[in-house]
């Protein structure tokens, strides 16, 4: 790996360093998927963040030259991205979800759920947005889904649940950053365990651990850097999902909905619950493996959902 003293003297401009970083990423065989999909996009994000420039920097400025201290900072971050295989958001401590910035570090997963698209639409047409009063996000991690819901439903109370105290520390940073503390309650709990028994929700949303044992063993290094507690879902990926399904009926309002992301474990879910009419949601910007069930459907299927 090149050091700054060995870096080509020809590198001068923003564009030079974006191209150079992309080449080094390709050469090192890095894996992407934590906010970017290609080496070039990742390189641009890294360089622009390091230079304190916006991601939509006008092309005119890509010809601007870097100072020596800026070159040192860019090369150091490129070196670390390659050497440690850390996802870029762990190096920048920033990730984006639903167009909103979030602080992240190794205590939480990097936000990337397609559920953002559903929140933007305020979960229409499956709920009446104006009637939503209580929302719960199970396995909140960085708090991105819960905080996005607070923006989408300003008249609702949002409960952000996680079993991990360290994850909730990160979520607290983001709650404060987005000034939603009066609307959003953080709760350390194993799913609904610490939530008052009488509390009901119009929307239960969750991006729980759902990676099965086989896929966990094959995760690229970048994904291995994320907390396993947020990824590993047991032998078939459904350990937590089963518990959510079993508990949802007693926690939904009469017209409430349950939305859960299960990713590649969707076939296993359908095989495990052949009599449950999961609605698999479509996404314009990509993503799959997210199902929706209404409270009525869950009531009708209680015999199949209870352990």
């Amino acid at each position: 790996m090149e050091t700054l003293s060995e870096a080509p003297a020809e590198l001068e401009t923003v564009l030079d360093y974006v191209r150079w970083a992309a080449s080094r990423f390709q050469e090192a065989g890095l894996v992407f998927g934590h906010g970017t999909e290609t080496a070039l996009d990742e390189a641009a994000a890294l360089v622009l963040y390091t230079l304190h420039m916006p991601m939509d920097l006008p092309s005119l400025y890509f010809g601007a030259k870097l100072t020596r201290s800026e070159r040192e900072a860019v090369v150091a971050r490129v070196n670390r991205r390659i050497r440690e295989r850390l996802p870029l958001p762990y190096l920048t401590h920033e990730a984006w979800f639903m167009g909103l910035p979030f602080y992240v570090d190794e205590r939480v997963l990097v936000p990337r759920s397609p559920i953002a698209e559903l929140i933007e639409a305020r979960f229409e047409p499956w709920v009446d947005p104006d009637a939503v009063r209580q929302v719960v996000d199970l396995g909140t991690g960085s708090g991105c889904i819960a905080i996005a819901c607070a923006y989408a439903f300003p008249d609702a109370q949002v409960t952000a649940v996680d079993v991990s105290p360290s994850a909730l520390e990160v979520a607290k940073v983001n709650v404060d950053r987005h000034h939603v503390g009066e609307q959003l309650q953080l709760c350390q709990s194993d799913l609904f365990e610490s939530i008052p028994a009488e509390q009901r929700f119009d929307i239960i949303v969750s991006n729980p651990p759902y990676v099965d044992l086989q896929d966990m063993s094959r995760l690229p290094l970048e994904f291995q850097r994320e907390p396993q507690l947020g990824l590993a879902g047991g032998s078939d990926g459904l350990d937590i999902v089963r518990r959510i399904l079993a508990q949802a009926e007693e926690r939904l309002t009469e017209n409430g909905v349950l939305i859960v992301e299960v990713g590649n474990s969707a076939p296993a879910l359908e095989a495990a619950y052949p009599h449950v009419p999961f609605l698999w949601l479509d996404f314009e910007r990509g993503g799959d493996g997210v199902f929706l069930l209404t409270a009525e459907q869950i009531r009708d299927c209680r015999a199949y959902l209870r352990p």
Side-chain angles (χ1 to χ4, degrees):
M1 180 62 205
E2 294 167 317
T3 63
L4 178 61
S5 62
E6 299 165 340
E10 296 89 347
L11 298 181
E12 296 182 339
T13 68
V14 175
L15 185 59
D16 288 340
Y17 276 88
V18 169
R19 199 283 309 156
W20 173 77
S23 294
R24 300 291 72 74
F25 292 165
Q26 291 277 59
E27 181 182 40
L30 299 190
V31 173
F32 311 104
H34 292 95
T36 64
E37 299 299 328
T38 68
L40 193 58
D41 287 344
E42 180 115 341
L46 183 150
V47 171
L48 292 175
Y49 182 90
T50 305
L51 299 177
H52 308 287
M53 290 287 102
M55 293 299 113
D56 58 351
L57 182 72
S59 59
L60 169 68
Y61 295 97
F62 276 82
K65 294 182 180 181
L66 277 64
T67 66
R68 180 172 180 83
S69 63
E70 289 172 337
R71 292 167 57 208
E72 290 175 349
V74 168
V75 174
R77 194 162 270 157
V78 169
N79 285 342
R80 192 176 176 204
R81 174 68 178 91
I82 292 172
R83 184 176 62 252
E84 300 180 34
R85 292 297 181 97
L86 281 171
L88 181 60
Y90 288 163
L91 296 176
T92 62
H93 295 303
E94 184 169 80
W96 291 79
F97 182 81
M98 210 184 79
L100 302 168
F102 291 90
Y103 172 86
V104 294
D105 60 30
E106 290 91 333
R107 291 174 288 180
V108 297
L109 297 184
V110 176
R112 53 183 177 272
S113 173
I115 289 174
E117 199 170 311
L118 303 177
I119 302 172
E120 288 177 352
R122 304 182 74 197
F123 295 103
E124 291 189 283
W126 299 285
V127 301
D128 174 3
D130 295 329
V132 172
R133 293 293 177 267
Q134 292 283 341
V135 179
V136 64
D137 172 26
L138 300 176
T140 197
S142 65
C144 62
I145 287 177
I147 291 168
C149 286
Y151 278 103
F153 302 102
D155 296 325
Q157 289 296 307
V158 180
T159 303
V161 173
D162 208 290
V163 72
S164 166
S166 59
L168 290 173
E169 290 172 0
V170 176
K172 178 64 164 58
V173 172
N174 287 313
V175 167
D176 293 343
R177 179 176 186 176
H178 289 278
H179 308 290
V180 293
E182 292 186 3
Q183 186 187 356
L184 191 153
Q185 177 187 6
L186 297 173
C187 177
Q188 183 186 350
S189 178
D190 185 2
L191 299 182
F192 295 103
E193 189 175 271
S194 300
I195 296 177
E198 69 277 6
Q199 192 167 359
R200 300 289 184 272
F201 300 95
D202 303 299
I203 297 172
I204 299 174
V205 60
S206 182
N207 178 15
Y210 60 72
V211 182
D212 65 37
L213 196 60
Q214 185 176 32
D215 283 348
M216 283 295 297
S217 68
R218 300 184 301 204
L219 285 178
L221 286 174
E222 283 83 352
F223 290 86
Q224 293 179 32
R225 299 301 189 196
E226 296 186 283
Q228 287 205 355
L229 183 64
L231 292 171
S235 60
D236 62 358
L238 302 178
D239 285 2
I240 303 300
V241 179
R242 285 189 176 89
R243 295 175 57 208
I244 293 172
L245 287 169
Q247 297 174 28
E249 180 185 359
E250 296 179 352
R251 293 298 186 160
L252 283 170
T253 58
E254 183 177 356
N255 296 311
V257 294
L258 170 69
I259 300 101
V260 181
E261 180 174 348
V262 296
N264 291 343
S265 293
L269 184 69
E270 290 197 313
Y273 297 92
H275 302 293
V276 177
F278 297 106
L279 173 63
W280 296 101
L281 303 176
D282 296 322
F283 298 93
E284 293 182 0
R285 298 195 295 271
D288 55 18
V290 178
F291 73 78
L292 181 145
L293 289 171
T294 66
E296 181 179 6
Q297 289 171 326
I298 291 173
R299 288 192 296 269
D300 291 343
C301 294
R302 63 166 63 96
Y304 307 113
L305 298 175
R306 296 290 173 84

